């Protein structure tokens, strides 16, 4: 398995295009492309944020991939995403505009098809089907373009997690409601990734996010572009670059159990791994696991009790809240109300999915532990 890694010191058009070109050429994807293919670029555009904030995939990365494909003679290149809010043309138009995606328009179109279709999963999956947005469901070739981040619920956000944006709009909170437990939610993400099956995953880690990601964290530049055909081993590798333990990230642990991750087979192409990498700050929602020090017969009940005691909840900072309602709109269990232009939370019924924190444009929602 080839893993490309190229150093990019800043978001500069020439430097980004050079790194992206090297990465795609090293993976020899030109040989499997044809001009009339339907090619979809799937960035992370979780919310309307300007490119200088490390929340979304930078437009220079997206436009560089589109430009390279165009220079290879590809004629049908589409940028498609379903963000955290409603999956409507007007909403997505604002997302594309704010996130700078129009920079790619000389080489690629922006999706305006707001339809979706049910796609069946392989036998044995817990999810028998997924509703997937039309461009991704019908694409001949998918290039997954995530932003490297820590994540309040999953711990890590890279290639696998980025494919959650294949689910249309406000159907994503429904899946949070259906799978409130991190083990079940992570399994759902893995099953979705095995259905979407992007051919290439290229990670924007030039500027990454640490802390309370995917939207409330802070900048932690790695100055890297990563690309691979093996999204699962790449996520494992990227987590190690962040100084995270991949085995403690549930979706990566599950991917290892499924035999999807093969770090021993990884061959690095391009630049060497930087020797000055520093550990990413983890989300406030992370809890410690003390169960390994317990006798085996006590681990399960001990873990259940500690999960309740250490459970994290969203906490509103009222002085920052503008009453926009994005948190209430995204809440899977509908326990957030807007009263007198302020959000009102209740702890009872909260599943700690942190959708509200993800979608708050004002960073008015933080994480609070029960004790």
């Amino acid at each position: 398995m080839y893993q490309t890694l190229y150093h990019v010191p800043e978001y500069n058009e020439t430097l980004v295009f050079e790194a992206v070109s090297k990465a795609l050429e090293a993976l020899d994807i030109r040989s499997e492309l044809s001009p009339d293919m339907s090619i979809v670029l799937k960035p992370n555009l979780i919310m309307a944020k300007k490119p200088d904030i490390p929340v979304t995939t930078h437009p220079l990365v997206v436009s560089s991939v589109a430009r390279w494909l165009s220079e290879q003679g590809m004629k049908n290149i589409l940028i498609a995403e379903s963000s955290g809010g409603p999956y409507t043309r007007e909403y997505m138009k604002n997302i594309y505009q704010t996130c700078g995606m129009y920079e790619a328009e000389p080489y690629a179109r922006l999706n305006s098809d707001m339809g979706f279709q049910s796609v069946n999963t392989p036998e044995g999956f817990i999810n028998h089907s997924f509703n997937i947005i039309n461009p991704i469901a019908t694409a001949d070739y998918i290039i997954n373009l995530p932003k490297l981040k820590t994540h309040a619920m999953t711990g890590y956000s890279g290639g696998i997690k980025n494919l959650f944006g294949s689910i249309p709009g406000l159907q994503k909170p429904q899946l949070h409601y259906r799978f409130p437990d991190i083990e079940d939610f992570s399994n759902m993400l893995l099953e979705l990734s095995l259905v979407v099956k992007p051919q290439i995953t290229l990670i924007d880690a030039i500027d990454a996010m640490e802390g309370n990601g995917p939207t409330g964290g802070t900048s932690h530049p790695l100055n890297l572009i990563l690309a691979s055909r093996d999204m699962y081993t790449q996520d494992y590798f990227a987590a190690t670059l962040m100084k995270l333990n991949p085995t403690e990230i549930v979706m990566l642990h599950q991917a290892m159990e499924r035999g999807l991750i093969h770090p021993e087979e990884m061959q690095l192409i391009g630049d060497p791994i930087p020797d000055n990498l520093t550990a990413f700050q983890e989300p406030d929602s992370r809890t410690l696991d003390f169960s390994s020090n317990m006798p085996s017969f006590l681990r399960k009940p001990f873990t259940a009790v500690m999960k309740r005691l250490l459970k994290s909840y969203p906490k509103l900072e009222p002085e920052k809240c503008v009453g926009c309602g994005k948190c209430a709109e995204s809440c899977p269990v509908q326990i957030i109300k807007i009263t007198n232009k302020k959000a009102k939370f209740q702890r009872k019924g909260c599943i700690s999915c942190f959708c509200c924190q993800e979608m708050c444009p004002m960073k008015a929602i933080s994480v609070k532990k029960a004790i």
Side-chain angles (χ1 to χ4, degrees):
M1 185 280 284
Y2 293 122
Q3 171 64 60
T4 70
L5 181 152
Y6 291 97
H7 182 256
V8 185
E10 61 181 339
Y11 287 112
N12 169 281
E13 183 175 1
T14 300
L15 297 176
V16 174
F17 180 70
E18 180 181 348
V20 165
S21 299
K22 287 179 179 178
L24 297 177
E25 288 163 7
L27 296 175
D28 190 31
I29 74 169
R30 184 189 289 110
S31 61
E32 56 197 33
L33 300 175
S34 60
D36 295 325
M37 266 186 168
S38 171
I39 302 175
V40 168
L41 310 184
K42 165 59 180 77
N44 181 335
L45 306 178
I46 184 173
M47 67 190 308
K49 285 290 184 181
K50 293 188 179 300
D52 58 342
I53 304 172
V55 170
T56 58
T57 308
H58 199 280
L60 283 178
V61 173
V62 181
S63 62
S64 292
V65 174
R67 175 184 164 188
W68 185 88
L69 290 167
S70 179
E71 290 182 358
Q72 313 314 306
M74 300 306 108
K75 301 176 181 177
N76 189 9
I77 307 165
L78 187 69
I79 298 168
E81 164 74 311
S82 169
S83 299
Y87 190 51
T88 63
R89 288 186 182 181
E90 283 305 309
Y91 188 86
M92 289 308 305
K93 182 178 179 181
N94 178 58
I95 293 285
Y96 291 138
Q97 178 70 46
T98 305
C99 296
M101 290 300 111
Y102 284 95
E103 289 187 22
E105 273 204 321
Y107 316 107
R109 294 179 295 112
L110 298 173
N111 177 50
S112 60
D113 177 357
M114 299 297 112
F116 62 88
Q117 53 189 274
S118 178
V119 178
N120 292 329
T121 63
E123 186 176 349
F125 278 27
I126 291 176
N127 299 271
H128 300 301
S129 65
F130 286 105
N131 288 340
I132 295 177
I133 62 174
N134 283 339
I136 291 177
T138 61
D140 296 318
Y141 204 92
I142 299 170
I143 300 182
N144 188 21
L145 300 174
K147 184 77 161 179
L148 190 65
K149 297 184 278 189
T150 50
H151 193 284
M153 183 181 185
T154 61
Y156 165 87
S157 181
I160 299 169
K161 181 63 175 66
N162 191 46
L163 297 178
F164 197 39
S166 304
I167 304 295
L170 296 176
Q171 292 186 33
K172 288 190 280 294
Q174 295 175 22
L175 287 171
H176 276 287
Y177 181 75
R178 183 180 171 193
F179 301 111
D181 186 82
I182 183 59
E183 284 79 13
D184 294 335
F185 187 78
S186 297
N187 180 71
M188 179 275 297
L189 291 175
L190 276 181
E191 291 189 350
L192 174 63
S193 73
L194 289 164
V195 171
V196 176
K197 293 187 296 189
Q199 281 75 13
I200 300 292
T201 297
L202 187 148
I203 299 179
D204 173 9
I206 299 173
D207 191 9
M209 176 175 281
E210 66 178 354
N212 293 323
T215 62
T218 54
S219 169
H220 190 134
L222 285 184
N223 303 116
L224 296 174
I225 287 286
L226 310 171
S228 179
R229 295 177 182 275
D230 182 348
M231 171 177 62
Y232 305 101
T233 303
Q234 179 172 242
D235 270 353
Y236 181 99
F237 174 62
T240 66
L241 296 179
M242 301 164 78
K243 307 295 184 180
L244 302 176
N245 184 346
T247 63
E248 295 179 358
I249 298 165
V250 177
M251 62 182 163
L252 297 183
H253 180 74
Q254 291 177 348
M256 293 176 69
E257 290 182 329
R258 285 176 178 251
L260 297 171
I261 293 178
H262 307 282
E264 72 284 354
E265 298 177 8
M266 190 182 76
Q267 299 181 48
L268 193 63
I269 296 177
D271 297 329
I273 298 173
D275 57 10
N276 60 345
L277 297 177
T278 57
F280 274 53
Q281 178 185 343
E282 297 189 41
D284 292 337
S285 55
R286 175 173 167 77
T287 58
L288 299 175
D289 180 12
F290 306 100
S291 63
S292 59
N293 298 320
M294 302 291 293
S296 58
F297 70 95
L298 289 176
R299 286 177 188 171
K300 190 170 183 179
F302 177 82
T303 300
V305 170
M306 293 307 292
K307 274 188 174 181
R308 289 196 299 272
L309 289 176
L310 296 175
K311 185 177 180 180
S312 301
Y313 294 91
K315 178 187 177 183
L316 182 73
E317 299 179 41
E319 66 279 5
K320 295 182 181 179
C321 180
V322 296
C324 67
K326 296 292 184 184
C327 55
E329 179 183 73
S330 64
C331 179
V333 287
Q334 298 296 295
I335 59 171
I336 304 173
K337 307 296 180 185
I338 306 300
T339 305
N340 297 325
K341 297 184 179 180
K342 296 289 181 182
K344 299 293 183 183
F345 288 67
Q346 65 180 49
R347 181 173 294 187
K348 184 178 180 181
C350 177
I351 62 174
S352 298
C353 66
F354 302 104
C355 290
C356 55
Q357 184 198 36
E358 288 184 24
M359 297 311 299
C360 178
M362 306 306 295
K363 291 189 178 183
I365 301 171
S366 58
V367 176
K368 181 176 177 61
K369 290 185 172 62
I371 59 173

